[in-house]
Amino acid sequence: MSVVPVAPLSGRHDATIGHVSSSIRAPVFVDNGVLHAKYTMITNQITGTTTNISPPKRSDFQYVHDRTYRLLETQDGVRLSHPHTPGTAYNGGIVFNGEKLSGSGNVPPMLIFGTEDTSSRLVPHSVSTSSVGSDLPLANMQSRKLSDVEFGEKLVRIGQTVGVGFRTTDAVQRLLIGAMHSINSFDVGLSYTGPRVGKHTLHKGADIRKHSTRFIAHDFYGVGILQAMKFFGRYDDHTLYMDRFGNLKYAPSVFAITNRKLGDATGVGEIQNKPLLGVINQIVSEGLTRGLNDDNRTIMDDLEMQKKIGSIKTTTIYNPLSRTPTASRRGGAIALRANKKAQQVIQSKNHINSWDLDPGDVVKYEAPSSGIMKTVALLKASHSLRKQSSDFILMSNDPGIESIITMTQHKTELESGGEDISFLNPIIEMSNTGISNIFITPRISTFRIGATQPRRLSNMQPPGVPLPSPFKPDDNSGVNRHAGFIIGHRENNSLIAATASARGAIGVGHSYRTTATIPIAAGVLTVVSTERFPTSGTLFVEDITGQSIHCKYTGKGATTFTGVEAVAAPGVPLVRPIVAGANVIYARPRSHEMTMSRGQREVVM
Amino acid sequence: MPVLNHAKRFLVEQLAGKINQMVIGSDGTQATADDGGARTLAKITPTVRVLDDQTILVEGRFGTSYSFDSADVQEILLQHYDSTTGAFIPIYRTDIRAVTKSAQNEMRITLLIEVN
């Protein structure tokens, strides 16, 4: 049976049709304007009217105009402001769609596009408060700058895209006009859902064919006809069917419910269960992006199947007709639902009295092993007249997400492609948590200080001589405690009897010295003080010529050395007199004090 | 995603500005995150330096003038001390093995604080 388009008898056709026709009236181009209306499917039990056109709501679209705005990139989005023209310098927020965009309570425009290149578009996310112009944060920038997404416009316009196109059920018919094909016929709607739909109507004709309420504005040049029809079907929940007579049908993806019970099978062993399609339980639905920062990709999960299988199997479907995330979600939900339907099939053979059942029928099926009656849909039917039996592939209607969706969606809504139910749009919340730590690494050491070791022997001060500045470290306390390697002159050990001169000094330390006050007389040398000088010892004394005489003494008083005589010749008196003012130096000691005094480090932690 | 580097630097500078007291004490109980003050033996103002965007160096020295005969040093505490109110906020405490602090030794304490 082929479809012959019925030409209208008059021009513009806007009269109410008094009856429901059983053939679809061919669309006729009646106007050269774009009609924007709310197009809904209703069913009137009395008259059978199925479509309703009403004026659109004011909130369905945004008023836009040709005005340009200055665009400035901000940290997380853009700022729009009025360009300064001679005589004006307005820096306030822009007014859009009847309200001033000043804060989060305002609705942002749908699109920002460039004046030079209108394909450079951005999708604002919201409106935020700003003192200059209107701030519109952009979503999905992922730390990129506008230059990274190749948006370089400085003057922009705001607006929205409007698609102008055909209704899907009209568009598919136009696809085949003039096309070479070998099919028997093409039809829109399921012909065999007519008298067995199970509904009682009060009007003439059956509730057979319905137009969809989805409109498509997309070019399919270069796309195969069947491929294009499949895209349409994904958009408005229709499927292509090919019956056994070569008739191609573009019909809603809903199975017709019958009252029939599948005939008994002659053999229980002929029943097999097998999966039909892959166990996809997560679908990534991609559509067309609206702007350079738009990411029209949504993830739909069938949680029940994921729990059942225990893992997530995902696939990506691309829907070029989805221009918004809502449409992508709808496409993904439809695909999930269709996949869910075909999860489990039953292959049952040798049924009697079932010659009238065709694929697409929903029948009652009694499981032969348990006797439980359940509703199944026929996927495939093959009838054998010779054997007078039929083989079927049945598909079970498992409850779960499917039942939730169908519970609140009536059959008419499914066919009309009604508005999205909110739970078809799963809310995916993602939260990123980061870890921040503060570590403290301690290093604790103790140092044993060598400076606390006191000088044992070389801690003497020169007698009667005040400490010069800078100091000589002699007092063995505070800063005068030393560390390290000490070389110092040792006080003469009076127990040692030797009177020989000291060995060569290294050059540190000091020798006791004093000054003669009275010229030497009878072996008695009077000096300023004999403090610290040992009771006997060796002296170097300057004589009148300034040369030193090596002499010894045998005793001392507070200011006198007694028994002073030259060492060179014992018993020989001094030949050169020692006058007052001569330097009297005690001969250098023989040895030095050497102490290794070293700080020791001990690590505690 | 962890905290941004700018925030780490900000944390480092804030913390470095607050650490103003290093205490050695005699309580050797194991350090926990809930520790409060120390059984104080001596306190000094440590040297605090910000080494880089994530690291603070805190150094302190208890020289030979600090000598404790009655107790050994068994804990180190870093804290913020508010001189106007007298309140203190402990920042870090560690317990160490007993160290006898006398006039013959000095303790040098170095702490590296890293913000990751």
Side-chain angles (χ1 to χ4, degrees):
Chain A
M1 180 176 71
S2 60
V3 172
V4 176
V6 176
L9 301 175
S10 59
R12 183 172 178 163
H13 192 283
D14 56 359
T16 304
I17 306 291
H19 60 276
V20 176
S21 63
S22 56
S23 60
I24 295 176
R25 190 174 296 276
V28 177
F29 186 63
V30 295
D31 208 339
N32 60 353
V34 174
L35 302 178
H36 188 203
K38 190 169 156 64
Y39 188 65
T40 52
M41 192 71 75
I42 58 162
T43 301
N44 190 314
Q45 295 289 338
I46 309 289
T47 62
T49 313
T50 57
T51 58
N52 182 59
I53 295 179
S54 56
K57 287 187 283 196
R58 164 71 178 84
S59 56
D60 282 345
F61 53 90
Q62 297 174 330
Y63 285 114
V64 295
H65 42 68
D66 196 44
R67 197 171 298 139
T68 58
Y69 296 99
R70 200 163 41 139
L71 182 137
L72 185 70
E73 184 174 1
T74 59
Q75 192 177 0
D76 61 347
V78 295
R79 176 174 296 160
L80 298 186
S81 56
H82 290 278
H84 291 168
T85 53
T88 65
Y90 177 68
N91 286 327
I94 64 173
V95 176
F96 171 71
N97 200 28
E99 57 182 1
K100 191 170 181 179
L101 300 184
S102 57
S104 58
N106 304 123
V107 176
M110 288 183 66
L111 273 183
I112 299 170
F113 56 97
T115 51
E116 292 180 8
D117 179 12
T118 55
S119 64
S120 284
R121 299 172 183 183
L122 296 172
V123 179
H125 175 259
S126 57
V127 182
S128 63
T129 310
S130 170
S131 56
V132 176
S134 297
D135 271 353
L136 304 173
L138 300 175
N140 202 38
M141 287 299 286
Q142 297 169 5
S143 303
R144 294 175 292 181
K145 301 194 289 284
L146 286 182
S147 56
D148 295 330
V149 298
E150 297 177 4
F151 187 90
E153 302 277 330
K154 295 297 174 197
L155 278 178
V156 296
R157 291 190 174 92
I158 50 181
Q160 60 186 45
T161 52
V162 174
V164 180
F166 284 106
R167 196 169 43 182
T168 54
T169 44
D170 296 330
V172 291
Q173 296 176 64
R174 294 186 75 82
L175 287 176
L176 279 166
I177 292 177
M180 300 288 288
H181 57 82
S182 58
I183 56 176
N184 194 23
S185 71
F186 175 74
D187 203 355
V188 175
L190 276 172
S191 55
Y192 38 71
T193 58
R196 290 173 296 172
V197 80
K199 282 171 65 175
H200 299 284
T201 61
L202 301 176
H203 51 81
K204 278 191 273 185
D207 188 11
I208 305 175
R209 301 173 199 266
K210 289 188 175 59
H211 270 291
S212 74
T213 53
R214 296 233 170 262
F215 290 78
I216 286 184
H218 191 83
D219 290 329
F220 284 94
Y221 294 117
V223 180
I225 292 178
L226 292 181
Q227 188 75 13
M229 287 186 185
K230 281 180 188 167
F231 275 129
F232 286 143
R234 200 178 289 170
Y235 191 62
D236 65 352
D237 201 14
H238 277 59
T239 314
L240 284 178
Y241 296 96
M242 179 74 112
D243 67 7
R244 55 185 179 274
F245 304 113
N247 299 315
L248 183 64
K249 298 177 194 305
Y250 181 77
S253 301
V254 65
F255 291 86
I257 300 175
T258 69
N259 285 327
R260 283 276 277 114
K261 178 176 169 293
L262 196 62
D264 295 333
T266 54
V268 176
E270 297 293 333
I271 298 173
Q272 295 174 359
N273 287 334
K274 58 179 187 177
L276 183 65
L277 297 175
V279 289
I280 300 295
N281 49 33
Q282 183 187 72
I283 284 187
V284 178
S285 178
E286 279 191 52
L288 283 178
T289 57
R290 291 168 295 170
L292 295 168
N293 66 318
D294 194 20
D295 183 14
N296 192 0
R297 188 186 299 143
T298 51
I299 301 174
M300 303 285 298
D301 285 283
D302 186 344
L303 294 173
E304 193 198 346
M305 286 306 298
Q306 287 171 3
K307 276 187 204 163
K308 197 171 167 181
I309 295 164
S311 61
I312 297 178
K313 309 254 187 226
T314 185
T315 188
T316 303
I317 59 170
Y318 176 65
N319 189 355
L321 301 176
S322 295
R323 288 183 180 273
T324 61
T326 307
S328 288
R329 274 193 280 268
R330 191 190 302 125
I334 289 169
L336 258 187
R337 204 183 316 148
N339 193 52
K340 180 66 186 286
K341 281 183 184 174
Q343 277 307 315
Q344 186 74 22
V345 299
I346 304 168
Q347 192 173 349
S348 187
K349 295 182 178 175
N350 296 330
H351 285 267
I352 55 173
N353 295 330
S354 304
W355 55 270
D356 59 329
L357 293 173
D358 291 314
D361 291 343
V362 176
V363 298
K364 291 187 181 57
Y365 169 74
E366 183 182 344
S369 54
S370 58
I372 297 173
M373 194 73 72
K374 54 182 176 178
T375 307
V376 296
L378 298 184
L379 278 185
K380 187 180 172 186
S382 63
H383 307 282
S384 171
L385 288 175
R386 183 176 63 81
K387 291 194 290 184
Q388 294 198 349
S389 66
S390 308
D391 298 337
F392 296 104
I393 291 181
L394 315 170
M395 192 180 69
S396 62
N397 254 343
D398 278 335
I401 191 171
E402 178 61 34
S403 62
I404 294 173
I405 292 172
T406 53
M407 257 192 314
T408 53
Q409 265 194 336
H410 300 292
K411 186 180 174 194
T412 50
E413 282 185 18
L414 265 176
E415 288 181 346
S416 67
E419 288 180 7
D420 272 332
I421 306 298
S422 60
F423 58 72
L424 273 181
N425 310 326
I427 298 170
I428 300 174
E429 272 189 5
M430 291 182 68
S431 61
N432 273 326
T433 57
I435 298 173
S436 208
N437 288 317
I438 300 180
F439 295 106
I440 298 184
T441 309
R443 293 279 180 269
I444 302 170
S445 310
T446 59
F447 289 82
R448 194 159 61 86
I449 303 297
T452 62
Q453 301 302 314
R455 296 187 187 201
R456 289 186 303 112
L457 303 170
S458 58
N459 60 346
M460 299 303 175
Q461 278 184 340
V465 177
L467 283 176
S469 174
F471 68 93
K472 284 187 185 175
D474 288 330
D475 59 358
N476 211 32
S477 66
V479 297
N480 292 327
R481 286 175 177 263
H482 62 262
F485 188 62
I486 294 177
I487 303 174
H489 286 275
R490 185 171 70 88
E491 180 189 357
N492 188 28
N493 187 348
S494 59
L495 296 178
I496 298 175
T499 56
S501 58
R503 291 190 176 84
I506 300 175
V508 296
H510 63 274
S511 300
Y512 305 122
R513 54 176 67 208
T514 185
T515 311
T517 55
I518 300 174
I520 192 169
V524 175
L525 179 62
T526 306
V527 295
V528 171
S529 169
T530 63
E531 187 185 352
R532 303 282 184 89
F533 280 80
T535 53
S536 63
T538 310
L539 296 172
F540 286 107
V541 186
E542 284 180 27
D543 64 9
I544 193 170
T545 65
Q547 294 181 345
S548 293
I549 305 174
H550 184 195
C551 32
K552 64 174 181 168
Y553 65 97
T554 56
K556 73 166 187 178
T559 56
T560 56
F561 290 105
T562 57
V564 179
E565 61 180 7
V567 173
V572 175
L574 289 172
V575 295
R576 292 187 291 276
I578 298 171
V579 296
N583 287 321
V584 178
I585 303 170
Y586 186 73
R588 295 187 180 196
R590 286 201 188 99
S591 63
H592 300 84
E593 177 181 6
M594 296 173 89
T595 305
M596 290 301 292
S597 180
R598 185 167 58 175
Q600 186 179 356
R601 182 184 177 198
E602 184 185 354
V603 175
V604 176
M605 182 182 255
Chain B
M1 191 69 191
V3 172
L4 297 176
N5 291 335
H6 302 288
K8 289 180 195 172
R9 174 75 199 199
F10 179 68
L11 279 175
V12 157
E13 285 176 356
Q14 292 295 311
L15 199 57
K18 293 296 179 192
I19 299 173
N20 60 2
Q21 215 169 62
M22 182 185 282
V23 177
I24 52 174
S26 57
D27 183 1
T29 52
Q30 191 175 10
T32 66
D34 299 319
D35 287 347
R39 201 180 299 162
T40 306
L41 289 173
K43 294 181 204 175
I44 58 166
T45 300
T47 307
V48 181
R49 273 194 298 157
V50 175
L51 290 184
D52 57 34
D53 284 349
Q54 289 176 240
T55 319
I56 303 171
L57 181 69
V58 180
E59 290 175 307
R61 189 177 73 90
F62 292 86
T64 53
S65 58
Y66 294 91
S67 175
F68 312 107
D69 299 324
S70 56
D72 289 339
V73 176
Q74 296 188 81
E75 59 178 338
I76 312 287
L77 180 76
L78 269 187
Q79 64 187 15
H80 164 70
Y81 176 68
D82 188 347
S83 54
T84 53
T85 61
F88 65 93
I89 297 174
I91 293 172
Y92 173 75
R93 177 179 175 269
T94 182
D95 58 294
I96 59 175
R97 63 170 175 78
V99 171
T100 305
K101 182 71 189 69
S102 65
Q104 275 73 46
N105 60 12
E106 68 176 28
M107 278 185 82
R108 294 182 197 170
I109 299 162
T110 307
L111 297 170
L112 265 179
I113 303 178
E114 293 174 79
V115 177
N116 282 323

